[in-house]
Amino acid sequence: MKYELLKTEGRAKRGRFHTVHGVIETPVFMNVGTVAAIKGAVSTDDLRAIKCQVELSNTYHLHVRTGDKTIKELGGLHKFMNWDRPILTDSGGFQVFSLAGIRKIKEEGVTFNSHIDGRKIFMGPEESMQIQSNLGSTIAMAFDECPPALAERKYVEDSVARTTRWLHRCKEEMARLNGLDDTINKEQLLFGINQGAIYNDIRIEHAKIISELDLPGYAVGGLAVGESHEQMYDVLDNVVPYLPQNKPTYLMGVGTPANILEAVDRGVDFFDCVYPSRNGRHGHVYTNHGKLNLFNQKFEKDMRPIEEGCGCPTCKSYSRAYVRHLLKAKEMLGMRLCVLHNLYFYNTMMEEIRAALDAGEFAAYKKRKLESMESGEE
Ligand SMILES: [Zn+2]
């Protein structure tokens, strides 16, 4: 059995996912390294120091530069970036639909222009699986279309139907690739993705259909793309009960600490988001009493760490005043220290969530954490 459901509290799940690259304790926050590095000069040694369990890399970015075939030649993504723990790769779909130039969607796949050099690229379910297989990630995501949250119903229906057909092709292609002699990770796992924008009936129907494929995990995609938090929670309330409880449930691209607590409560146990790294690069740091903007004048002579008692590499050695000084001076170390703290904050919150679930005290923990983060004391 790959996924052990250790404990539940309401719909919240505490799980353990066994992979060829080690065990993932869930709920888990995956740390987003777009081009096989977390933006902000964070190395894989750093990732080990900040309790990262799963690193996430972007298929599209690695395909256009340096190229998945080159990475395969060099022994795969794990060897390339010197990381022996789980890696999840996205399918490239989201970037194709959001980043890339003029594109054409057909049944076979999508034609688009690279955002690096404008060259024309074709990607369909088979290509996405081949790229992810070349990278050798632990978990590969299905190639899907992510329709805008506020898209017309008819568009969403047609798009979801195509995403289902693409999922069948992904599953077949991955089975074929995992059986080849020169495949780097023959145990690569495929997660399916639920779509349907904010139409609960379309999403529920889709969740039922994809659950029948008996994949190792399922994601809810197409959220956090323009809908309100309430709409997102409503979708989760409606859809998660139709995804297998005895498999990982991944909410893609979410979110704030509060979003994560709410989603755990609704049965989600895998997350990823660029917020901690992106905010860190802009000097915005998370604490248990809310977010601080280190550019603020009031931190100029503040010799306290970002957060008292924080065990991250930044707080153990440096003050708010020093980090602020580095940020003001545009010194790269300033960004790096903020990103390290923020990811540590997220990874530690997930650790707390797991401990609370183990103790059957998640509801109380969630209430306490939310109140504290909203208090705004420093
Ligand atoms: Zn810290």
Side-chain angles (χ1 to χ4, degrees):
M1 194 170 70
K2 289 219 149 67
Y3 181 85
E4 292 176 74
L5 183 59
L6 299 176
K7 204 150 187 178
T8 57
E9 185 178 328
R11 275 193 191 151
K13 300 197 290 180
R14 165 79 175 96
R16 186 169 287 153
F17 192 48
H18 298 266
T19 79
V20 71
H21 298 114
V23 169
I24 303 168
E25 300 286 347
T26 86
V28 60
F29 180 78
M30 301 186 280
N31 295 198
V32 184
T34 306
V35 297
I38 279 88
K39 282 188 200 299
V42 176
S43 72
T44 42
D45 276 341
D46 295 323
L47 290 185
R48 283 178 262 274
I50 57 170
K51 308 189 220 179
C52 170
Q53 293 194 76
V54 185
E55 194 271 350
L56 188 154
S57 286
N58 287 116
T59 288
Y60 167 82
H61 287 285
L62 294 173
H63 177 60
V64 296
R65 187 173 53 198
T66 282
D68 47 287
K69 287 186 180 144
T70 303
I71 292 174
K72 183 181 183 183
E73 240 179 86
L74 299 174
L77 197 48
H78 280 89
K79 194 171 172 196
F80 190 47
M81 63 192 288
N82 187 27
W83 177 251
D84 57 4
R85 297 180 192 176
I87 296 177
L88 182 142
T89 43
D90 67 357
S91 68
F94 186 77
Q95 279 74 27
V96 168
F97 289 103
S98 63
L99 254 191
I102 312 153
R103 80 243 171 188
K104 233 195 231 151
I105 311 172
K106 286 188 183 166
E107 188 61 27
E108 300 78 52
V110 187
T111 308
F112 58 94
N113 299 319
S114 155
H115 77 292
I116 305 283
D117 54 12
R119 94 190 133 95
K120 206 177 239 182
I121 302 176
F122 173 79
M123 197 187 286
E126 289 78 14
E127 288 74 16
S128 173
M129 291 303 107
Q130 287 156 15
I131 296 167
Q132 295 183 76
S133 179
N134 285 342
L135 297 172
S137 58
T138 317
I139 300 168
M141 297 305 297
F143 188 73
D144 63 339
E145 187 196 350
C146 172
L150 307 171
E152 297 271 328
R153 188 180 170 92
K154 176 74 178 111
Y155 183 89
V156 175
E157 276 173 344
D158 292 346
S159 163
V160 168
R162 186 172 45 226
T163 286
T164 306
R165 294 191 295 275
W166 283 357
L167 181 58
H168 284 274
R169 286 165 54 188
C170 286
K171 190 183 175 187
E172 263 174 48
E173 180 65 4
M174 173 158 298
R176 185 186 75 82
L177 293 164
N178 281 354
L180 298 177
D181 282 346
D182 69 336
T183 293
I184 289 180
N185 176 15
K186 296 183 177 65
E187 314 265 341
Q188 196 170 35
L189 304 167
L190 174 65
F191 280 19
I193 305 176
N194 173 255
Q195 291 287 359
I198 52 166
Y199 302 104
N200 284 331
D201 58 327
I202 298 178
R203 278 198 180 264
I204 288 170
E205 194 50 36
H206 189 233
K208 288 182 190 166
I209 293 171
I210 61 177
S211 296
E212 284 168 16
L213 270 74
D214 195 26
L215 297 169
Y218 289 92
V220 179
L223 290 176
V225 291
E227 80 291 353
S228 69
H229 287 171
E230 285 64 35
Q231 282 171 319
M232 176 169 84
Y233 300 150
D234 184 60
V235 166
L236 295 177
D237 281 333
N238 281 280
V239 174
V240 174
Y242 290 95
L243 293 172
Q245 195 194 27
N246 60 346
K247 307 265 177 83
T249 308
Y250 168 24
L251 177 56
M252 301 179 80
V254 173
T256 65
N259 291 155
I260 290 176
L261 289 163
E262 294 297 345
V264 165
D265 213 1
R266 289 163 171 82
V268 176
D269 64 350
F270 276 60
F271 298 89
D272 82 281
C273 190
V274 296
Y275 285 169
S277 48
R278 182 181 292 164
N279 280 325
R281 296 199 305 279
H282 292 98
H284 295 255
V285 289
Y286 294 88
T287 79
N288 284 307
H289 303 285
K291 231 178 338 165
L292 310 179
N293 178 358
L294 288 180
F295 278 99
N296 203 311
Q297 178 76 40
K298 69 181 170 190
F299 300 120
E300 190 180 20
K301 295 174 183 172
D302 193 338
M303 285 304 284
R304 291 176 294 171
I306 293 172
E307 177 141 73
E308 297 284 356
C310 174
C312 86
T314 306
C315 292
K316 277 196 283 189
S317 304
Y318 305 106
S319 66
R320 293 172 177 185
Y322 178 62
V323 178
R324 177 178 186 277
H325 156 78
L326 295 173
L327 290 166
K328 294 285 281 183
K330 295 190 168 54
E331 188 56 58
M332 208 185 296
L333 181 60
M335 269 207 246
R336 180 180 137 76
L337 293 176
C338 290
V339 174
L340 287 176
H341 168 84
N342 280 355
L343 288 172
Y344 185 92
F345 178 87
Y346 265 66
N347 293 332
T348 302
M349 183 179 82
M350 304 317 289
E351 204 172 69
E352 292 167 3
I353 290 172
R354 294 193 295 272
L357 284 167
D358 283 337
E361 290 168 355
F362 176 70
Y365 166 78
K366 177 189 160 195
K367 185 167 180 284
R368 213 167 50 233
K369 189 84 172 176
L370 287 173
E371 280 170 3
S372 167
M373 286 190 296
E374 279 157 18
S375 69
E377 295 157 20
E378 285 156 18

